[in-house]
Amino acid sequence: MPERITDELLLEKAGAGDPAAFINLYERHRAAIFRFSYRLSGSVEAAEDITHDCFLGLIKKPENFRPERASLRTYLFSAARNLWLKQLRDFGRESAMDEYAENQFIAGGKEPLGGLLDDELSVKVQEAVSSLPPLQREALVLFEYEGLALNEIASMVGTDVGAVKSRLHRARERLRNRLRPYLATSRELNTSREIVTLEQA
Amino acid sequence: MSSTIPPEGPGESLIIEDDLQSLLERWIVPEPSKTLDQRVANSYHREMGSADAVADAAQFPQGQNEVVKMKFCSTCKEEFADKFSFCPVDGTPLNVLVSEPKNKVVNSPSFTDSVSAGSPVLAGTGSVALVQRGEYHLTMIDDAGLVGRLAKEVAYVAHEYQLTWPEFKRDPFGFSKRSLLGYGQMAAKFFANRNVVLGLIVAILAMVGLVGIIGLLDRAQPGGISRTGFITFALVAGIMLAGIFVTWLRKSQSGAVLGAPDAESTNAVFGMVAAFSVFLLLIGGGVLYNFWEKRIEERQATEQDVVQNFIDIPNEQPTPDEGTAGLNKGKGGGSKPKQEKPGGGGGGGREEQKPASFGKTPQASLTVPQVVAPDPHPPAIKNPVLPVAATVVADPMLVPPDARVLAYGDPKSKSTDPSSGPGTGNGIGTGKGGGIGPGEGGGIGPGRGGNIGGGDYHEGGGGPGGGGGGTDYNRIFSGKDVTSKARILSKPEPQYTEDARKNQVTGTVVLKAVFSSSGQVTQIRAISGLPNGLTERAIAAARSIKFVPATKDGHPVSMWFQLEYNFNLY
């Protein structure tokens, strides 16, 4: 039953002043919006600001969300994207490239070497993605990480599918060039892990 | 998660594509910080306009029996959060701690249900929100001017004084102790404030830096910091300080100084400005005092110099020789065309007890015989029908007419009491005859038979004069003008200074000095000097020279001397 209460209904209740409905709605989308914002902005603080403003905007002007056009999640993604672009405009460039150090020690319960390698890979991937031009970055994040369909992305960023495809292609080219040394490492790491798993088996 | 993109290359690229995707998946996203959920919830409540804090609090999960520390304001009877040191409403120091269980906060089952297990963040922060919501009070600061507020404060202090004076009289010791404790606590709390400490440290560090730089500059230049340099430095430092303050003021307008709230930021900035002003005043006062002291020292040194110069004039020296003859100044001896020394003199007196008094000489003439001798007393007959002027027998060239309104008398006398002197013959002085002075006859001065110049009567020639002459033994002579030069008895050698020895300074210091007739070395001037204090040492050595003064005509006189001191290192 809880999953069947639609986003629209929850939003309506939240708009009427039901905090529980709002919390429910927030809990449903918080992780995705934060993740998306973080991958766009590359900074926890900026991502938190975007997430906060996203949900605040939803409450302030619920009429902006039209269920017949897109899902609430897509709407929130667009809102987050707009906020991120606004931040870019306001500050000229993305901030906080120095936050990796405190953010990368997340992977718990791994063996030390694997953990270190994972952390380094995480940082390198983040750097590589952050170095992409904003339009390519958002296309990549929406497609690869958030799993949105091409036409959804196209309607969200206000362009056609072909343009999204070409942005994705160029983004991948760049990433491939930038991450070439790690592509091999990643393959080896996977292989060695498989061997370990096989041996354990 | 990832949908596929239409394949666009051979198999190799596909493998790489897979690798890239797996690589991209390694980007780990961190958890949002614990405050995000709270911020969103707070914003939601604010947006919904739910002012009732208790009703809001019901929406937040709260641990049961949680104890919240509260402080109580004795003036407005309200409680405030523990972090407040002063009442936000009326500024009373909050000292009393009240602990009470927050029973009114209840769990909200509906909310707990709605919160997923993966979000413990939201659950733990409710109490903070409650406290934060409860502590907000609007403080109205009246818009009175600075003077008005100061007057109010002074009136308040006066009132307090009136109130506390009886208590102080009743128990002075206890009252003092209590006051000290109270103010000590307040001061401790004030200085425990992070912003205050930071502001103070910044101000002190900045001032120490400034003073240090000035000191360094001062040390770098051996002659002390130049005025232009000092002014330039002060200007630059002032502009930098102003810049810092301006930036901080800007910051305070938009947010915070050192993370303080807006009002505190302004206070902190003003505090720093005040601290800087006080420091600058202190330093400026020091500099002014230094300058003043230097001026006084200089003045004293000048005075000493003047006194020294006075001392140089020996008192026992006789007054200069008046010359061979006459009261006139010049080289000649009388009216005759050829240069010739005059002779003769005169004297007189009316056998009075007192010495002859000072006065002018009457008209002098060698051709007109003396009818009336000069008399310092007023004439016995007022307005005579046939007035006859007093005269002396002397060369008018040597005794010029005296137009001063004076009684007749001896020009060399110091007595002012009118008297003709103990002499005889109706003149003035101690001699005999109708003249003036100790001689005999109608002339002036020692000698006989009239005229002036001493000895027997003789008419001189060559023009006016005869006066003056003699030698001024007070002036400073050069070596060739004196009869015998100053004889040095002991001449101490100057010592090397430590700096000069370190810097291997050698050479000669040439001084010019006056070996005064009183036996002192004065007016020492350095003609050529050496650095590192050697010139000063040479001057000190010169001052301690013992010598017998030079003489001229038997008189001890001052003379110029050149002194050379060789400084050698072996």
Side-chain angles (χ1 to χ4, degrees), chain A residues 87-117:
Chain A
Q87 271 194 354
L88 276 189
R89 274 199 304 276
D90 288 352
F91 296 106
R93 59 184 303 275
E94 308 93 305
S95 56
M97 288 295 282
D98 51 349
E99 285 179 15
Y100 309 134
E102 60 184 72
N103 293 334
Q104 53 183 287
F105 302 109
I106 304 152
K110 290 178 190 169
E111 76 272 28
L113 179 64
L116 276 176
L117 285 171

Side-chain angles (χ1 to χ4, degrees), chain A residues 121 124-125 128-129 132 140 143-145 167-184 186-187 190, chain B residues 2 5 8 12-27:
Chain A
L121 274 179
K124 288 297 164 190
V125 172
V129 175
L132 292 175
L140 184 95
F143 186 82
E144 292 289 353
Y145 289 107
R167 281 176 195 171
L168 270 176
H169 178 67
R170 282 202 297 275
R172 284 181 169 156
E173 281 298 314
R174 273 176 181 253
L175 286 181
R176 227 172 272 144
N177 283 335
R178 220 187 138 100
L179 296 172
R180 193 169 296 282
Y182 298 96
L183 282 170
S186 164
R187 206 181 301 156
N190 283 339
Chain B
S2 64
I5 207 161
E8 18 176 51
E12 175 63 14
S13 110
L14 266 179
I15 291 168
I16 291 180
E17 199 68 30
D18 286 344
D19 284 344
L20 183 64
Q21 275 181 3
S22 64
L23 196 58
L24 285 179
E25 278 162 17
R26 295 192 176 275
W27 184 5

Side-chain angles (χ1 to χ4, degrees), chain B residues 81-94:
Chain B
D82 186 31
K83 69 171 189 173
F84 281 87
S85 304
F86 296 89
C87 174
V89 180
D90 49 33
T92 314
L94 302 173

Side-chain angles (χ1 to χ4, degrees), chain B residues 457-470:
Chain B
Y457 176 85
H458 181 79
E459 286 181 38

Side-chain angles (χ1 to χ4, degrees), chain B residues 21-270:
Chain B
Q21 275 181 3
S22 64
L23 196 58
L24 285 179
E25 278 162 17
R26 295 192 176 275
W27 184 5
I28 304 152
V29 176
E31 283 292 315
S33 74
K34 295 177 192 287
T35 53
L36 175 62
D37 298 335
Q38 194 54 52
R39 273 173 67 197
V40 173
N42 280 347
S43 298
Y44 173 75
H45 287 297
R46 206 175 309 126
E47 202 55 43
M48 286 294 111
S50 48
D52 189 354
V54 181
D56 289 348
Q59 309 305 325
F60 295 93
Q62 186 82 28
Q64 284 193 346
N65 297 327
E66 184 168 351
V67 174
V68 179
K69 273 186 179 176
M70 297 292 278
K71 284 180 180 172
F72 182 72
C73 172
S74 54
T75 312
C76 65
K77 313 287 181 203
E78 282 197 55
E79 289 175 13
F80 299 99
D82 186 31
K83 69 171 189 173
F84 281 87
S85 304
F86 296 89
C87 174
V89 180
D90 49 33
T92 314
L94 302 173
N95 287 324
V96 192
L97 272 169
V98 189
S99 297
E100 58 175 43
K102 281 278 176 188
N103 291 328
K104 53 188 174 185
V105 179
V106 291
N107 277 348
S108 160
S110 63
F111 184 76
T112 322
D113 288 346
S114 71
V115 173
S116 66
S119 65
V121 177
L122 197 63
T125 47
S127 63
V128 179
L130 181 68
V131 172
Q132 279 173 350
R133 285 168 152 264
E135 80 195 11
Y136 177 72
H137 286 274
L138 190 64
T139 306
M140 299 297 286
I141 297 173
D142 54 350
D143 201 16
L146 185 65
V147 178
R149 277 186 282 158
L150 185 67
K152 212 180 268 180
E153 289 295 318
V154 170
Y156 173 75
V157 169
H159 182 65
E160 285 288 301
Y161 170 76
Q162 277 182 341
L163 290 182
T164 49
W165 179 242
E167 198 188 336
F168 178 72
K169 271 209 294 197
R170 187 174 53 79
D171 178 16
F173 183 72
F175 179 78
S176 307
K177 197 175 157 190
R178 280 195 300 278
S179 306
L180 272 178
L181 272 175
Y183 284 118
Q185 275 177 358
M186 273 176 72
K189 264 185 191 154
F190 178 68
F191 284 111
N193 191 342
R194 179 173 155 272
N195 294 323
V196 169
V197 174
L198 280 176
L200 272 177
I201 288 173
V202 167
I204 288 170
L205 280 183
M207 281 320 294
V208 166
L210 261 176
V211 171
I213 290 169
I214 291 176
L216 277 180
L217 277 177
D218 201 21
R219 191 161 283 191
Q221 292 186 5
I225 195 163
S226 75
R227 185 166 293 185
T228 340
F230 189 81
I231 290 172
T232 319
F233 176 74
L235 273 178
V236 169
I239 289 168
M240 277 170 64
L241 279 180
I244 291 172
F245 286 138
V246 164
T247 357
W248 282 23
L249 274 173
R250 271 227 187 110
K251 265 193 196 167
S252 88
Q253 278 168 4
S254 67
V257 168
L258 308 167
D262 210 344
E264 272 184 48
S265 302
T266 322
N267 285 344
V269 170
F270 282 138

